[in-house]
Amino acid sequence: MGMTSRIIATLMTFLLWFPAQNVRASDTMLMFVGEDLEVLSIASRREEAAWSAPAIADVITRERFENKGAVTLSQALADQPGFYMNQTEKGTVPYLRGIQNSTLFLFDTVPMGSGIRKSDNMIDYETSLAPVKRIEIVRGTGSVLWGPDAFAGVVNAVPLSGRDFQGLETGLLITSEDSPGEAYVNWGGRSSNWTGFVSVSGRRADKADDPYNVVHFWEDIDLKAPLASRYGRGKPDDSHFVNLYASAGYSDWLTFSAKVADNKNAYTVSDWEGIYSWEEQAVNRSAQYKVEAARRFSPDNGIRFTGYYSQTRQDLSFVDKTFNVDETSWFGEVIYDHSFFNSSGLVTVGTSIKHDDFQGVPVWETFLPDYFTPDNEFSVPDVNQINTDNSLKSFFGQYRHDIEPIEVWAGIRYDNHKAYEDRASYNVGFAWDLGQFKFKSLYGTAYRSPFARQIDETDGDSLEQIRNFNVQISWKNQDTKAAVTLFQNKISNHVMEDRYAGAGLSTANSQTIEGMELEMSHQFFGSLSISGNLTLLDNNGPRETYFYHDYNHYDDQGNLVEKHYQALEYAYDTGPTTMGNIQAKWQMTDHLTLAPELRYFSRRKLYYPVSDETRICPEAWIMDINLNIKDILPFDLTLFVNNLFDHEYLSPGLYSITRASGLSAGIHFSYQW
């Protein structure tokens, strides 16, 4: 069935599902199930409901992600419209609306992960949800307010503060998947005008990774270890993840915060045929420090300042070779907003400066798994470590005007780069409030800064661009909420990041991705609510061409004469083209809540990057069940069972097809002192 037919059929089902009654909703009612915590700030840099925000937006409250047993950002986002979380041996590769590694992930509005290695998102155990109050989501471009890399969407994890949480809470999570599990402590308090919050969490994971057989390879960067010592048997080290977050605030105008992490992720990977396997490790030590200040001159206008400094040290190991990578970033921003015409108009203007410095980033010139075979006695992979930096000055503004029942907005941003080309992003949109219906239409552009291999090969001169168009109609009454969103992403100068450690860089091309997101929720009676969503994707674009460096020509004196490349073509990878889920929340008693969830995604592909071969991962059905017990025992208790159906479904891995985590169970204790 084609994309158009699927959309028509689904829309017909959606329209027939609507109740016939016409109940006008309150203007203050939020669109999705939840309480007043379902507000977000990333759509217009001020708190507002997702229903009224100038964006396709949603909020995952702490109650929602705790009910489903999510302890990482990737788990919390796995059932959201448009998102697909591809589980690899190393961690999660996120897709949003068919675009891989395209979301700007923020923690307390500070970018997470690497600014030059887009696949290092830090959305698994590297970032604990223990201190998180809510998760804000915008699907679609966000560059006008958030700059480059707010490409297909923005996700912001908002931490708790002393205003939200007072007292002491301890928690312990034990799972069968990786023992011994995770523990955390949250403390919050307030005194007079001061508030404070501290969260410490730690996880030690004894992963059930397969043993590996390549135990020794490098003597140094240019010399391979003797063949006789190459093979053996080993097991990956235990992984650990330690996170500290602390904040202190004075009144409503000054906040200091800090986030420190020490993480080690060790895992086994294998080549395409599963013959040779080896250990890789990513050790991250990071720290970020942030200050925020705000001053309201009057109810109609005010100014805000945000500044932060972040530093990350990564030790990336492949078998027995380690590359040391350093990233530092500092940022300052001033925003002024002013309301006009009895608060019908709102202008937001700002300027920012940001500097990034990257040292020792590895760029693979040849394909790593090719070198582990016994017939390779002398050669080692070609790998460079690059150093680069960039300074960015930005000027932006956005204006919103409400002419009931219609609101319109427009924004523009100019980014002045030191190392890359200068670019301007913009957005326009309008919303029409029809009582229980709301119609939104948005158009925006965004750019993505280059990753390491682009800089090494092309100097990052041409930035990848996206033009995003959205149309959404949403509907609500006291018990029912629903929305249909149609979108189109037109990507130009698209270049695929090399996730295969030396497979090559795809040539620049253009892609068009169209899709639909359908969301529904209904409160059947006081104790039972059911919600779900469905995403359909269709790609219309050329095949991508890779130039794989397979061998070199040398002269008689051993001098390099020519590097030989093989051209390979593959279809653009959108991930699954169909994704959906259905969730229930059954309040069995005042103390017992049962929360089952069923997720589905269609087949996915993995391309062998050095030859003309493709493998298919079949569709998967994933069933999770959570039982929450509160106010019976001295502590709160959650029991959960994950992946009841496809116990070991196949998933695209780093270099080969891998098996996802099988059937697992666990228990979560929490106690408030």
Side-chain angles (χ1 to χ4, degrees):
M1 182 182 293
M3 183 65 182
T4 303
S5 300
R6 286 196 289 166
I7 289 177
I8 292 174
T10 309
L11 283 174
M12 290 297 293
T13 303
F14 174 74
L15 293 172
L16 290 172
W17 178 84
F18 269 154
Q21 66 270 26
N22 183 21
V23 180
R24 181 176 178 83
S26 167
D27 290 339
T28 61
M29 184 183 299
L30 300 182
M31 178 177 174
F32 298 100
V33 177
E35 300 176 357
D36 291 342
L37 293 177
E38 291 206 349
V39 297
L40 78 162
S41 58
I42 57 175
S44 60
R45 305 302 285 266
R46 60 164 50 190
E47 290 191 343
E48 60 193 324
W51 170 266
S52 58
I56 307 301
D58 194 6
V59 176
I60 308 174
T61 65
R62 188 176 181 90
E63 179 188 11
R64 283 176 62 183
F65 67 70
E66 283 184 340
N67 279 340
K68 66 172 290 184
V71 295
T72 67
L73 271 173
S74 60
Q75 293 170 358
L77 294 169
D79 59 5
Q80 293 301 298
F83 282 91
Y84 166 61
M85 297 294 161
N86 178 30
Q87 302 299 319
T88 71
E89 302 91 335
K90 178 181 179 181
T92 299
V93 177
Y95 290 69
L96 177 53
R97 292 179 165 181
I99 312 173
Q100 174 182 151
N101 295 318
S102 59
T103 305
L104 177 63
F105 291 101
L106 308 169
F107 188 95
D108 195 18
T109 73
V110 178
M112 296 164 51
S114 171
I116 200 168
R117 293 167 55 87
K118 310 299 184 184
S119 56
D120 288 346
N121 296 287
M122 306 303 174
I123 59 174
D124 293 306
Y125 295 120
E126 299 89 351
T127 302
S128 173
L129 292 187
V132 173
K133 174 183 177 180
R134 66 177 184 266
I135 301 168
E136 304 175 341
I137 303 168
V138 164
R139 305 192 300 275
T141 56
S143 280
V144 166
L145 295 181
W146 295 102
D149 298 328
F151 198 69
V154 182
V155 173
N156 181 37
V158 180
L160 292 161
S161 70
R163 290 186 295 272
D164 310 308
F165 182 89
Q166 287 92 46
L168 182 68
E169 179 186 24
T170 56
L172 177 64
L173 177 66
I174 302 172
T175 66
S176 62
E177 180 182 355
D178 49 8
S179 59
E182 179 174 340
Y184 68 88
V185 178
N186 288 343
W187 173 87
R190 61 188 308 167
S191 176
S192 185
N193 290 326
W194 285 95
T195 61
F197 178 79
V198 178
S199 177
V200 181
S201 65
R203 167 178 285 268
R204 183 173 176 268
D206 181 12
K207 293 185 177 180
D209 281 307
D210 295 329
Y212 53 84
N213 55 28
V214 178
V215 297
H216 190 34
F217 185 74
W218 272 280
E219 289 290 340
D220 58 40
I221 189 64
D222 298 316
L223 182 65
K224 185 182 66 61
L227 184 62
S229 65
R230 180 181 303 179
Y231 306 110
R233 185 175 179 85
K235 186 179 184 300
D237 291 349
D238 290 343
S239 299
H240 69 257
F241 307 92
V242 180
N243 287 269
L244 165 68
Y245 173 79
S247 67
Y250 180 75
S251 188
D252 292 328
W253 70 273
L254 184 63
T255 304
F256 299 95
S257 63
K259 182 177 181 291
V260 180
D262 183 352
N263 303 312
K264 177 182 178 180
N265 185 19
Y267 49 93
T268 298
V269 291
S270 65
D271 68 347
W272 184 254
E273 299 297 341
I275 298 174
Y276 303 103
S277 56
W278 61 98
E279 181 188 27
E280 295 185 359
Q281 290 187 12
V283 178
N284 297 278
R285 292 171 293 275
S286 63
Q288 68 179 46
Y289 308 96
K290 179 186 175 185
V291 59
E292 289 182 290
R295 176 71 182 273
R296 300 304 301 178
F297 303 118
S298 74
D300 292 330
N301 63 86
I303 192 168
R304 285 168 284 167
F305 168 77
T306 301
Y308 68 77
Y309 173 81
S310 65
Q311 182 177 34
T312 300
R313 171 68 180 259
Q314 282 190 317
D315 297 331
L316 305 175
S317 299
F318 302 83
V319 191
D320 50 1
K321 177 62 183 176
T322 299
F323 301 92
N324 305 123
V325 184
D326 288 298
E327 297 190 20
T328 58
S329 179
W330 58 263
F331 172 85
E333 177 184 71
V334 177
I335 294 179
Y336 174 79
D337 62 73
H338 195 110
S339 297
F340 298 93
F341 311 116
N342 295 321
S343 299
S344 294
L346 173 66
V347 63
T348 302
V349 294
T351 183
S352 66
I353 183 170
K354 187 174 188 284
H355 181 79
D356 297 309
D357 187 75
F358 309 102
Q359 299 291 320
V361 183
V363 176
W364 297 84
E365 298 294 331
T366 47
F367 190 53
L368 174 64
D370 284 352
Y371 288 80
F372 295 137
T373 59
D375 57 357
N376 172 35
E377 297 189 40
F378 305 106
S379 299
V380 294
D382 294 333
V383 57
N384 300 324
Q385 287 188 266
I386 68 168
N387 304 323
T388 187
D389 67 288
N390 179 53
S391 294
L392 171 65
K393 298 176 182 178
S394 302
F395 308 90
F396 55 92
Q398 180 170 282
Y399 181 71
R400 298 173 63 180
H401 196 88
D402 189 5
I403 313 170
E404 292 189 0
I406 293 176
E407 182 181 27
V408 296
W409 60 86
I412 188 168
R413 181 188 190 96
Y414 177 71
D415 290 320
N416 178 260
H417 290 274
K418 169 192 169 185
Y420 319 135
E421 61 182 347
D422 300 338
R423 283 296 188 177
S425 306
Y426 61 89
N427 64 31
V428 293
F430 78 95
W432 186 8
D433 193 342
L434 300 172
Q436 72 179 51
F437 286 93
K438 190 154 192 170
F439 177 83
K440 291 182 182 179
S441 179
L442 309 91
Y443 178 80
T445 65
Y447 293 87
R448 181 153 54 177
S449 59
F451 48 86
R453 180 131 190 177
Q454 279 180 282
I455 295 173
D456 189 50
E457 295 191 3
T458 67
D459 297 324
D461 289 336
S462 299
L463 301 183
E464 188 176 4
Q465 182 194 35
I466 187 172
R467 289 168 287 169
N468 172 243
F469 177 68
N470 298 271
V471 174
Q472 181 186 75
I473 184 167
S474 50
W475 177 85
K476 62 182 181 179
N477 67 13
Q478 186 174 359
D479 297 321
T480 307
K481 294 92 181 173
V484 173
T485 305
L486 303 178
F487 65 86
Q488 181 187 72
N489 292 321
K490 296 182 73 69
I491 310 172
S492 57
N493 199 41
H494 168 68
V495 178
M496 192 70 178
E497 182 177 12
D498 178 12
R499 63 179 277 193
Y500 299 103
L505 193 68
S506 65
T507 58
N509 59 77
S510 297
Q511 300 290 335
T512 299
I513 304 169
E514 297 174 336
M516 181 188 71
E517 297 160 345
L518 170 63
E519 305 164 72
M520 304 179 187
S521 67
H522 183 69
Q523 189 78 34
F524 283 91
F525 40 86
S527 62
L528 177 64
S529 63
I530 294 181
S531 61
N533 61 69
L534 176 68
T535 301
L536 303 175
L537 299 173
D538 184 57
N539 169 243
N540 179 17
R543 294 170 67 85
E544 296 191 282
T545 302
Y546 293 81
F547 288 93
Y548 165 57
H549 179 200
D550 50 1
Y551 60 87
N552 296 326
H553 287 297
Y554 296 91
D555 61 21
D556 294 338
Q557 287 74 40
N559 300 314
L560 178 64
V561 176
E562 178 188 10
K563 291 184 176 182
H564 185 270
Y565 292 87
Q566 177 185 4
L568 299 169
E569 289 189 353
Y570 300 105
Y572 175 83
D573 176 23
T574 62
T577 57
T578 303
M579 298 168 285
N581 74 86
I582 185 168
Q583 311 155 43
K585 180 183 176 183
W586 180 18
Q587 194 73 44
M588 303 168 64
T589 71
D590 291 339
H591 309 292
L592 297 177
T593 304
L594 184 66
E597 177 183 12
L598 178 64
R599 286 184 286 128
Y600 167 82
F601 40 81
S602 58
R603 68 178 195 169
R604 292 131 295 136
K605 300 177 181 179
L606 181 66
Y607 309 115
Y608 188 32
V610 299
S611 68
D612 185 17
E613 187 175 349
T614 299
R615 289 181 180 170
I616 303 297
C617 297
E619 64 182 11
W621 292 89
I622 302 170
M623 182 72 180
D624 300 335
I625 297 179
N626 289 267
L627 177 64
N628 301 297
I629 305 171
K630 293 189 175 184
D631 302 327
I632 298 179
L633 303 170
F635 45 81
D636 292 339
L637 184 65
T638 299
L639 306 172
F640 59 88
V641 179
N642 293 334
N643 204 12
L644 281 173
F645 291 168
D646 286 348
H647 293 172
E648 293 186 343
Y649 62 89
L650 299 179
S651 184
L654 291 179
Y655 308 101
S656 61
I657 298 296
T658 185
R659 292 189 179 275
S661 300
L663 177 68
S664 64
I667 185 169
H668 180 197
F669 303 90
S670 63
Y671 182 77
Q672 294 188 359
W673 301 80

